């Protein structure tokens, strides 16, 4: 979208919304990392959809700044029967955007739908004998064995469990829910959507925040001080930067690194990294289809990937914003380990990659590389990976398009002749890589896992061992073993970790740590 078109669109929206006297008191205009292509945060793990979901939906538990789960929609819980029975009590005042009360059966249906597709949810489902709603306020888990991480599972901040009405939560997890009825602090306005350009939310007057605690990441009272939130998709970075400088938008989620010095010099703009866990990049293979169904072929590329080169392409020369000694767990977390890291930090050699590809049996099979060009970080990593693939003799079909085209395609498990894919570059929130419990992309679940679908019985056995580990040293030993096995199985190749700063106008205050969250912020 060009700047002139953006101005026309926003002006038209204002004129259509209401007479001047009825205009919302406070509007925040936000530039997301890409267009909102899919609405259902269970149907897709896309981060744009996750951010949208946190406006519209609420969670039973939410993580605080210390990454600890706290009651959110629940008032609290009681644990009985030696940890095998959990009774969660919904707090008073919960209502959906259609005016109906939030009942326990709505939550049960929502949890059941989420547990079908989320890796952590599947672990909880395997441990659950029965999930029921014995009353309108009580959600009851009868477990096969104690599961102390139950609140942590329901508090996941990515691929999270959104609570929606039972009639919507009864939709198959493989089918997208498009009617957005949540109980969060903002409601979605579908009639104001302009595909590829704009999404709009308004404060939900019926939302009752928690009465205790303080706002902390996704936990505590979620107080909407803003009357209206507008998302404006501006794929061109220069357009977004100009709009932010002119005050035509208030907040830019992912400013390009070469524009950060310009934005920092502007006296009305702040540039600040708020997401403590940052992002972790990867080259993710489709492990169901040739040639990457062969772990030896995936492993061959380890010697050809430079995390330093990738991080410089993503975040420039600001060394304090990135880490190029990155394994499969978030650097700095208790799970992080240097086990086997020399495969990424040693000398890079494309000749070794060629030799290893020959030994692994690569026969020139076509490789379809899907690339969302409107996500600058993924576009930059994709260009570097494509150059490596070409230099080592991969028969590369580089298919560049926008995120709205790439995201639905990633669900396709079929062969290339049926619209499938072979490889893509991705990033995940670092917060989900703080432990094997939530690091779903390292898991070996096959078709039941996230995009890429690697299989590893050894990693799954180690993760089960981790879930039962009683001490931190024991957990850390298991993390080392998981990482060593991951260098063998190669569910993906880590390309580094980085902190992605926000750029926002100085009159935006109250912004919480984490990904874009719109409760608690003020404009004035």
């Amino acid at each position: 979208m060009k700047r002139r078109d953006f101005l026309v669109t926003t002006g038209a929206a204002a004129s259509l919304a209401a007479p001047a006297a009825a205009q919302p008191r406070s509007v925040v205009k936000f530039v997301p990392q890409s267009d909102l292509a899919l609405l259902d945060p269970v149907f897709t793990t896309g981060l744009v959809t996750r951010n949208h979901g946190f406006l519209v939906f609420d969670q039973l538990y939410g993580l605080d700044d210390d990454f600890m789960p706290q009651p959110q929609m629940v008032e609290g819980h009681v644990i009985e029967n030696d940890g095998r029975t959990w009774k969660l009590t919904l707090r008073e005042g919960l209502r959906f955007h259609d005016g109906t009360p939030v009942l326990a059966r709505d939550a049960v249906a929502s949890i059941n739908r989420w547990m079908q597709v989320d890796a952590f949810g599947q672990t909880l489902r395997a441990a659950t004998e029965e999930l029921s709603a014995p009353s309108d306020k009580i959600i009851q888990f009868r477990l096969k064995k104690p599961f102390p991480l139950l609140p942590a599972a329901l508090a996941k901040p990515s691929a999270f469990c959104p609570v929606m009405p039972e009639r919507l939560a009864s939709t198959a997890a493989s089918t997208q829910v498009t009617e957005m009825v949540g109980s969060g602090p903002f409601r979605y306005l579908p009639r104001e959507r302009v595909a590829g350009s704009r999404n709009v939310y308004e404060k939900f007057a019926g939302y009752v925040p928690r009465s205790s605690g303080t706002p902390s990441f996704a936990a505590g009272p979620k107080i909407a001080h803003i009357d209206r939130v507008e998302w404006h998709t501006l794929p061109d970075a220069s357009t977004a930067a100009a709009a932010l400088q002119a005050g035509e938008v208030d907040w830019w989620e992912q400013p390009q690194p070469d524009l950060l010095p310009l934005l920092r010099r502007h006296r009305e703009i702040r540039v600040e990294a708020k997401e403590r866990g940052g992002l972790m990049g990867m080259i993710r293979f489709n492990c169901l289809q040739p040639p990457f169904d062969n772990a030896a072929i995936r492993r061959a590329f380890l010697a050809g990937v430079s995390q330093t080169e990738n991080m410089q392409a993503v975040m420039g020369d600001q060394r304090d914003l990135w880490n190029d000694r990155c394994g499969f767990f978030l650097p700095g977390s208790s799970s992080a380990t240097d086990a086997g890291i020399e495969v990424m930090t040693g000398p890079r050699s494309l000749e070794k990659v060629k030799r290893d590809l020959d030994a692994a049996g690569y026969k020139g099979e076509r490789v379809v590389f899907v690339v969302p060009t409107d996500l600058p970080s993924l576009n930059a990593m994709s260009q570097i990976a494509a150059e490596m693939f070409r230099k080592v003799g991969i028969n590369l079909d580089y298919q560049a398009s926008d995120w709205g085209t790439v995201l639905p395609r990633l669900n396709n498990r079929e062969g290339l002749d049926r619209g499938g894919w072979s490889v893509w570059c991705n990033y995940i929130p670092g917060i989900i890589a703080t432990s094997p419990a939530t690091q779903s992309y390292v898991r070996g679940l096959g078709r039941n896992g996230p995009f890429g679908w690697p299989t590893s019985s050894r990693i799954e056995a180690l993760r089960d061992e981790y879930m039962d580990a009683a001490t931190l040293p024991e957990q850390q030993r298991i993390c080392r073993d998981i990482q060593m096995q991951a260098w063998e199985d190669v569910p993906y190749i880590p390309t580094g970790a980085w902190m992605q700063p926000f750029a926002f106008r100085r009159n935006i205050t109250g912004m919480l740590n984490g990904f874009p969250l719109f409760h608690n912020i003020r404009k004035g």
Side-chain angles (χ1 to χ4, degrees):
M1 175 180 273
K2 295 184 175 9
R3 185 161 175 254
R4 181 182 62 187
D5 296 333
F6 164 74
L7 292 170
V8 169
T9 300
T10 53
S15 66
L16 288 172
Q23 285 296 297
R25 296 185 304 279
S26 183
V27 180
V28 166
K29 296 181 180 180
F30 172 73
V31 180
Q33 56 185 273
S34 69
D35 184 41
L36 179 63
L38 299 173
L39 299 174
D40 183 353
V42 173
F43 182 75
T44 179
T45 58
L47 298 186
V48 178
T49 305
R50 184 272 315 269
N51 297 343
H52 150 85
F54 265 80
L55 278 156
V56 176
F57 300 101
D58 213 348
Q59 296 177 282
L60 295 170
Y61 294 83
L63 288 191
D64 63 18
D65 278 339
D66 295 320
F67 303 154
M68 297 298 294
Q70 303 295 340
Q72 185 55 38
M73 293 179 71
V74 299
E75 188 65 40
H77 60 251
V78 175
I79 306 172
E80 301 173 343
N81 191 25
D82 296 325
R84 289 177 171 82
T85 300
W86 286 64
K87 294 179 179 179
L88 285 54
T89 302
L90 293 174
R91 59 185 176 87
E92 296 294 330
L94 298 176
R95 288 201 164 271
F96 287 116
H97 299 159
D98 61 4
T100 60
V102 177
L103 303 178
R105 63 174 179 266
D106 300 307
V108 167
S110 299
I111 296 168
N112 277 326
R113 183 171 187 259
W114 169 76
M115 287 196 302
Q116 295 177 48
V117 295
D118 181 74
F120 201 177
Q122 289 168 8
T123 303
L124 175 57
R125 183 174 63 169
T128 299
E129 185 71 41
E130 182 186 44
L131 173 59
S132 63
S135 73
D136 286 346
K137 290 291 185 183
I138 303 296
I139 304 157
Q140 179 171 287
F141 285 85
R142 279 202 307 112
L143 302 172
K144 300 173 185 176
K145 63 177 183 178
F147 196 90
L149 292 177
L150 189 149
L154 296 177
K156 275 193 65 181
S158 255
F160 73 102
C161 178
V163 175
M164 58 184 69
E166 182 182 28
R167 64 182 178 83
L168 298 177
S170 299
T171 305
S174 58
T175 301
Q176 182 183 192
V177 172
T178 57
E179 182 185 352
M180 292 291 98
V181 179
S183 64
F186 294 89
R187 66 186 189 95
Y188 184 61
L189 304 181
R191 292 184 179 181
E192 294 200 42
R193 170 171 169 76
V194 178
S197 175
R198 186 184 66 205
N199 290 277
V200 180
Y201 310 81
E202 72 173 7
K203 178 179 178 179
F204 175 44
Y207 185 77
V208 178
R210 290 193 67 82
S211 58
S212 61
T214 57
S216 178
F217 186 26
K222 294 183 177 181
I223 302 173
H225 300 292
I226 303 299
D227 296 303
R228 179 179 169 97
V229 176
E230 297 177 2
W231 284 20
H232 294 278
T233 304
L234 302 175
D236 179 72
S238 297
T239 301
L244 183 64
Q245 291 175 91
E248 294 157 3
V249 298
D250 303 296
W251 183 359
W252 186 9
E253 181 183 4
Q254 290 194 359
Q256 288 190 188
D258 59 330
L259 292 171
L260 292 178
L262 170 69
L263 297 174
R264 286 193 174 101
R265 288 195 298 269
H266 196 290
R267 64 182 183 180
E268 297 300 329
I269 293 174
R270 294 177 61 188
V271 176
E272 191 173 340
K274 302 291 289 185
E275 189 162 359
R276 291 172 52 204
L279 300 169
M280 297 176 66
M282 67 177 70
I283 300 172
R284 182 71 163 177
F285 303 100
N286 182 343
C287 299
L288 298 180
Q289 302 295 337
F292 299 132
D293 57 345
N294 181 341
I297 290 178
R298 303 194 298 269
R299 195 161 53 244
F301 294 105
L302 290 172
V305 175
S306 166
Q307 291 192 356
T308 304
E309 183 182 9
N310 275 274
M311 291 300 94
Q312 287 174 332
V314 169
M315 288 307 300
D317 294 326
Q318 282 195 256
R319 190 65 180 81
D320 59 323
L321 290 178
W322 48 266
N323 187 310
D324 58 355
R325 288 182 59 86
C326 183
F328 293 91
F329 298 103
L330 179 65
S333 70
S334 62
S335 298
T337 172
D338 280 342
I341 197 69
E342 60 274 7
V343 301
M344 300 303 303
T345 59
R348 304 293 83 193
S349 172
L350 296 184
E351 290 304 314
K352 182 179 187 309
V353 175
K354 291 178 183 178
R355 292 194 302 270
D356 290 350
L357 283 173
D358 287 341
Y362 176 65
K363 303 299 183 186
E365 296 96 332
R366 181 166 69 107
V367 167
V368 170
F369 195 160
V370 291
V371 180
T373 57
D374 53 344
L375 287 172
S377 298
L378 299 190
N379 190 44
M381 290 191 292
S382 298
Q383 290 175 359
I384 293 171
E387 183 180 11
M388 174 192 66
F389 286 142
R390 293 187 181 107
K391 285 182 175 179
V392 300
I394 294 298
N395 177 14
L396 189 67
D397 183 356
Y398 191 86
Q399 298 187 8
S401 56
D402 60 23
W403 179 236
T405 302
V406 170
L407 180 58
R409 187 173 180 183
L410 294 173
N411 277 318
N412 189 339
R413 295 173 172 81
E414 303 298 328
L416 303 186
D417 59 337
R418 302 187 66 180
W421 57 279
S422 307
V423 64
W424 79 300
C425 286
N426 184 26
Y427 52 69
I428 59 174
I431 190 173
I432 74 169
T434 54
S435 88
T438 53
Q439 190 2 345
S440 55
Y441 282 83
V442 79
R443 294 192 61 183
L445 290 166
R447 289 178 175 271
N448 291 323
F451 308 138
W453 312 289
T455 298
S456 175
S457 58
R458 174 61 178 155
I459 284 180
E460 286 304 295
L462 286 167
R463 182 181 180 276
D464 289 343
E465 191 178 340
Y466 177 91
M467 298 295 283
D468 293 331
T471 67
L472 180 60
E474 188 179 3
Q475 291 173 340
Q476 291 174 324
R477 188 267 305 165
I478 296 167
C479 289
R480 290 192 293 270
D481 290 348
I482 288 176
Q483 181 151 300
M484 290 302 294
Q485 187 62 43
W487 297 128
E488 291 296 314
D489 297 337
V490 195
Y492 64 83
I493 297 178
T495 56
W498 68 96
M499 300 295 290
Q500 175 65 59
F502 297 148
F504 52 96
R505 303 285 298 184
R506 288 188 178 273
N507 63 344
I508 300 297
T509 59
M511 192 177 294
L512 297 171
N513 290 325
F515 47 79
L517 296 167
F518 294 86
H519 59 271
N520 203 56
I521 66 172
R522 298 175 184 267
K523 181 179 178 181

